[in-house]
Amino acid sequence: MIEIIDLHASVEGKEILKGLTLTVNPGEVHAIMGPNGAGKSTLASVLAGREEFEVTQGSVTFEVKDLLEMETEDRAREGVFLAFQYPVEIPGVSNVNFLKTAINEIREHKGEDPISAKDFMAMVREKSALVELDSKLASRSVNEGFSGGEKKRNEIFQMAMLNPKLSILDETDSGLDIDALRIVANGVNKLKTPNNATIIITHYQRLLDYIVPDFVHVLYNGKIVKTGPKELALELEEKGYDWIKEELAL
Amino acid sequence: MTVIEGNNISFTEKLKGTSLPIQQEDLATALETLAVTSMPTTRVEAWKYTRLTKIGKVNFTNEEVAVNSIDNYRICASEITLVFVNGHYSEVLSSRQLPEGVNVELISKSTHQLEKTSVKLEGEIFNATNTAFLNDGVIIRIAANAVIEQPIQMVHILKGDHVISNFKTIIHAEKFSKAEIVQGFFTDEGTSNFCNSISEINVAENAHLTINKIQYESEESFHISTEEVQQATDSNFKINTFTLNGGLVRNNLHINVNGKNCESHLNGAYLLKNKQHVDNHSVVDHKVPNCESHELYKGVIDENATAVFNGKVYVRPDAQKINAFQSNANVLLSDNATIYSKPELEIYADDVKCSHGSTTGQLDEEAVFYLRARGLSEKSARQLVVSAFIGEVIEKVENEEVVTFINKKLKERFDWNI
């Protein structure tokens, strides 16, 4: 689904990603873990198309297309979704109204007709129930006055509404209490199909008790230095990252 | 009698003095003012950021002409619609099915003298011009206890090159009445035309009056409005000013809160592009205790446009227990866009709750990115964020037809599709 080869990216002249390679196939869940400053969020930002990050080398192919050549909105329309680490509050912009605009722009991009108001509302009801998001919150201003947990649930609600092929969850678990974490994880699990894929960027192993990854990657100093099964996450949680440094003589 | 000497003002040279029944004293003051006053320069504090040179260079004329239709200028479908072209009443385009409790009188048809004006004439060149060359005006009286369901709509149209309209609106909202006035200002055709308008508004005891004012003149037009408002005890006055187009626009809004327990609401939105210049000057003068005023002005300024906001709130020595809130927020969409914002509070009482604030920033790029990451085009995302910003002011308008009209004009001018 997505093939990242030797990706180098810098911000303000400083190289953060230094040759990252990763392939994700449909139906897979990949966890990317790593210490602070390893480049986890940079990866998410580069994939979503943030302009302040400059790709200096390497390639990212999404299905058959060159992802790096696409505008942010076209990436979203092709089926890439980023759940933000810090969801933005947008006063005055209604959550559901903007989602309707987004869905219709995506449908237009695919040559489909706009969604009917009735179908849309039915979808809002169904998908907000998935993440136990109060339907009142769904129609309020985007993230305005939402608690931390509500913001993250709103991200997964949007993910459910947009039905992406590839979801990148950037530290979606940070700051969540165990109940919110379960709800978010449950939402992600329910959205999983053999045709879509998920990249989970996280600091903590905890989330991976609820969303079981097929692969765990360790990102260190801008590169993936180790890949293993889900048990690797437990080992990281227990032992920290230093042993990997030693093992790999980094 | 209208030969004005001894100053550097040529813009009134071709105009004919008014023949309307203005108080002799006012006329004399106006002429005297014009004789001794020069066009204000930017050294004058009130005009510090608004250059009037362009107005001073035009030799204005006034002609009574016809326009074919007001389809583009009709804000709401009210049966009380008064249309004025270049400051002259158009019988054909107007609809005067007045309900009980509304009285409309044209100054040109009036048999008695106007009352002495409440606006300042000394040193005020545009007020003096309006008085000395008044084309026509209207006196609207809402009878005591009358509740007028339909808005009273006034449509002002400029047509022709170098045309000036000197127009006066006098509104008497009598005791316990309730009414809404909708005002629209438009350019039909022509360049360098000038709408110079004065409104004298009296809101009597316990009366409720709302004015929705929409300015949509052309980028080659000048517009100077002065609203002088008097509020009596227990009254409620609300004015929403939307400046959606216009070359050089100056709004002088002066609210005198003379009676206790009043509410005053002043909301404004201005959206500018190209080389537009829009200047909102407001004064709320709290003279007595136990009143509240709420002022919210928001602007979006693009390209090479300039906006000015100067809002002054006075709380006089005896005016205790005043709640006065003022806020001005601006978004600059281009590096060449300019805002001069000056919120001012002058408080002479000690038991009051007052706040004022001014913010200026760029569009929240993080919000735009967030929306794009959900599939919205950059254009839609920007529009959505801008319209949400301005939406806070539009929400203050209760009349749905007015809201629809504003959105229609925003689409027309800025290609908004919200």
Side-chain angles (χ1 to χ4, degrees):
Chain A
M1 174 167 293
I2 191 165
E3 196 173 21
I4 305 169
I5 298 172
D6 192 30
L7 186 65
H8 290 251
S10 0
V11 62
E12 287 167 3
K14 191 178 175 225
E15 191 170 56
I16 311 279
L17 295 183
K18 301 170 182 171
L20 187 144
T21 296
L22 174 69
T23 300
V24 177
N25 296 307
E28 293 177 351
V29 176
H30 290 243
I32 295 179
M33 301 182 75
N36 283 332
K40 299 192 298 295
S41 284
T42 298
L43 174 64
S45 295
V46 168
L47 294 180
R50 257 190 214 280
E51 275 157 21
E52 48 284 30
F53 293 86
E54 196 195 344
V55 174
T56 50
Q57 203 181 314
S59 67
V60 180
T61 310
F62 181 68
E63 297 190 305
V64 291
K65 293 180 183 162
D66 181 353
L67 190 79
L68 300 176
E69 280 300 304
M70 289 183 213
E71 294 289 342
T72 293
E73 52 269 41
D74 289 328
R75 300 180 192 200
R77 292 165 182 177
E78 290 290 328
V80 178
F81 180 90
L82 171 67
F84 280 57
Q85 182 178 4
Y86 305 111
V88 185
E89 296 190 10
I90 317 179
V93 174
S94 135
N95 220 12
V96 289
N97 280 357
F98 108 75
L99 274 174
K100 195 171 176 196
T101 310
I103 286 172
N104 283 335
E105 291 205 14
I106 292 168
R107 289 170 83 113
E108 196 188 326
H109 179 79
K110 292 180 182 165
E112 297 170 3
D113 288 335
I115 189 167
S116 75
K118 190 169 158 263
D119 290 352
F120 179 75
M121 283 325 291
M123 196 159 130
V124 167
R125 271 194 299 277
E126 184 199 338
K127 306 297 183 189
S128 56
L130 195 75
V131 286
E132 301 173 35
L133 190 70
D134 191 324
S135 56
K136 278 191 213 104
L137 281 185
S139 49
R140 274 207 342 227
S141 285
V142 180
N143 295 323
E144 196 187 23
F146 285 31
S147 70
E150 284 166 346
K151 281 181 184 168
K152 296 297 175 79
R153 276 190 274 162
N154 193 22
E155 292 295 289
I156 307 303
F157 165 63
Q158 292 177 29
M159 173 179 150
M161 292 292 287
L162 299 173
N163 190 25
K165 291 174 189 156
L166 175 68
S167 301
I168 303 155
L169 311 185
D170 187 7
E171 309 240 358
T172 298
D173 52 332
S174 298
L176 292 188
D177 65 35
I178 194 69
D179 293 330
L181 186 79
R182 270 200 206 110
I183 292 168
V184 163
N186 195 22
V188 174
N189 287 333
K190 280 187 184 157
L191 294 169
K192 194 180 164 194
T193 73
N195 302 316
N196 62 24
T198 311
I199 297 175
I200 299 169
I201 293 172
T202 182
H203 218 70
Y204 308 107
Q205 180 272 335
R206 191 178 60 154
L207 178 66
L208 307 179
D209 286 341
Y210 299 94
I211 307 174
V212 181
D214 299 301
F215 301 95
V216 174
H217 309 277
V218 179
L219 182 60
Y220 181 76
N221 198 17
K223 279 185 195 175
I224 286 176
V225 294
K226 192 174 175 70
T227 295
K230 62 177 191 290
E231 288 76 17
L232 177 58
L234 287 168
E235 209 173 340
L236 289 169
E237 181 82 359
E238 200 181 315
K239 300 202 274 187
Y241 292 96
D242 290 344
W243 65 275
I244 293 181
K245 279 194 247 174
E246 284 160 24
E247 185 184 298
L248 299 171
L250 291 166
Chain B
M1 96 185 186
T2 53
V3 176
I4 293 161
E5 287 174 44
N7 64 27
N8 60 2
I9 298 165
S10 62
F11 77 103
T12 57
E13 259 171 20
K14 288 186 178 171
L15 296 174
K16 224 171 83 208
T18 189
S19 53
L20 301 176
I22 293 168
Q23 287 269 340
Q24 275 309 313
E25 193 191 335
D26 284 345
L27 191 57
T29 313
L31 291 171
E32 170 68 17
T33 298
L34 290 175
V36 301
T37 315
S38 307
M39 186 65 82
T41 65
T42 51
R43 287 187 298 276
V44 176
E45 182 61 27
W47 297 95
K48 195 169 174 183
Y49 303 110
T50 299
R51 213 169 270 284
L52 297 165
T53 328
K54 271 194 195 162
I55 294 183
K57 282 183 184 156
V58 182
N59 283 312
F60 291 103
T61 56
N62 181 271
E63 265 176 280
E64 202 171 335
V65 294
V67 296
N68 297 327
S69 127
I70 58 159
D71 288 352
N72 282 328
Y73 315 129
R74 191 192 302 277
I75 298 165
C76 46
S78 175
E79 286 170 343
I80 322 165
T81 295
L82 309 168
V83 182
F84 302 90
V85 182
N86 295 344
H88 300 279
Y89 181 64
S90 168
E91 183 84 51
V92 195
L93 298 172
S94 299
S95 157
R96 261 171 96 171
Q97 299 179 42
L98 304 181
E100 202 177 319
V102 179
N103 188 290
V104 172
E105 188 183 19
L106 292 170
I107 295 177
S108 58
K109 299 276 164 61
S110 177
T111 48
H112 40 263
Q113 284 245 309
L114 282 184
E115 285 174 31
K116 192 175 168 349
T117 183
S118 59
V119 302
K120 193 175 165 223
L121 296 173
E122 295 87 354
E124 297 292 336
I125 194 166
F126 298 108
N127 292 352
T129 301
N130 177 285
T131 304
F133 302 99
L134 193 66
N135 298 120
D136 204 349
V138 66
I139 304 165
I140 298 171
R141 205 173 280 279
I142 320 292
N145 299 309
V147 175
I148 311 304
E149 298 292 342
Q150 285 199 62
I152 299 165
Q153 178 170 226
M154 299 174 69
V155 179
H156 295 272
I157 301 166
L158 290 170
K159 185 177 180 182
D161 294 334
H162 310 135
V163 170
I164 187 171
S165 158
N166 287 299
F167 192 84
K168 177 169 266 188
T169 306
I170 298 172
I171 300 168
H172 291 284
E174 294 182 352
K175 287 179 183 179
F176 296 90
S177 68
K178 185 168 194 257
E180 177 191 349
I181 311 272
V182 173
Q183 290 180 318
F185 295 89
F186 305 96
T187 312
D188 191 68
E189 57 173 61
T191 59
S192 298
N193 38 44
F194 180 11
C195 175
N196 183 27
S197 157
I198 290 182
S199 300
E200 296 181 36
I201 299 156
N202 293 292
V203 191
E205 193 183 328
N206 219 97
H208 281 61
L209 181 71
T210 297
I211 297 181
N212 285 311
K213 173 176 165 182
I214 295 175
Q215 296 172 303
Y216 199 91
E217 282 143 339
S218 79
E219 284 183 18
E220 289 80 39
S221 294
F222 311 117
H223 179 115
I224 295 180
S225 281
T226 296
E227 279 109 7
E228 190 77 28
V229 183
Q230 312 290 336
Q231 278 193 258
T233 307
D234 299 325
S235 67
N236 186 313
F237 175 70
K238 180 172 182 177
I239 181 162
N240 303 314
T241 306
F242 292 91
T243 310
L244 309 178
N245 199 353
L248 189 163
V249 177
R250 166 69 171 251
N251 295 312
N252 299 306
L253 173 59
H254 193 161
I255 302 180
N256 299 282
V257 191
N258 304 320
K260 291 179 188 172
N261 195 33
C262 284
E263 259 184 53
S264 318
H265 299 268
L266 314 65
N267 303 303
Y270 40 94
L271 294 99
L272 292 69
K273 61 176 180 176
N274 295 329
K275 288 183 172 173
Q276 276 188 270
H277 184 104
V278 174
D279 178 346
N280 279 291
H281 264 63
S282 66
V283 175
V284 180
D285 195 347
H286 285 290
K287 299 176 179 176
V288 294
N290 296 309
C291 294
E292 58 182 272
S293 62
H294 300 265
E295 179 166 13
L296 173 69
Y297 273 72
K298 281 189 155 189
V300 179
I301 306 134
D302 200 359
E303 297 174 350
N304 296 300
T306 302
V308 181
F309 173 82
N310 186 303
K312 201 161 200 166
V313 176
Y314 289 105
V315 181
R316 303 287 175 185
D318 296 327
Q320 302 294 359
K321 305 279 181 197
I322 293 292
N323 288 341
F325 305 104
Q326 184 193 66
S327 160
N328 175 232
N330 300 284
V331 169
L332 301 176
L333 295 181
S334 105
D335 290 343
N336 296 322
T338 308
I339 169 76
Y340 299 98
S341 176
K342 191 176 178 192
E344 293 178 88
L345 277 176
E346 276 191 32
I347 304 174
Y348 301 99
D350 51 19
D351 186 13
V352 300
K353 215 190 270 175
C354 297
S355 71
H356 67 168
S358 169
T359 61
T360 295
Q362 284 161 331
L363 204 61
D364 183 353
E365 290 301 331
E366 202 42 40
V368 172
F369 179 76
Y370 187 84
L371 296 172
R372 288 176 66 200
R374 298 297 177 252
L376 265 72
S377 67
E378 182 164 1
K379 184 169 174 265
S380 300
R382 288 185 176 278
Q383 218 176 72
L384 203 56
V385 176
V386 169
S387 71
F389 174 77
I390 281 298
E392 193 188 352
V393 182
I394 299 177
E395 274 171 23
K396 305 281 183 186
V397 178
E398 284 160 29
N399 185 329
E400 284 301 318
E401 281 182 294
V402 172
V403 173
T404 305
F405 186 84
I406 291 168
N407 287 330
K408 192 176 111 188
K409 289 295 167 189
L410 287 173
K411 178 167 170 51
E412 196 178 292
R413 182 154 168 78
F414 299 98
D415 196 23
W416 279 19
N417 233 336
I418 308 292

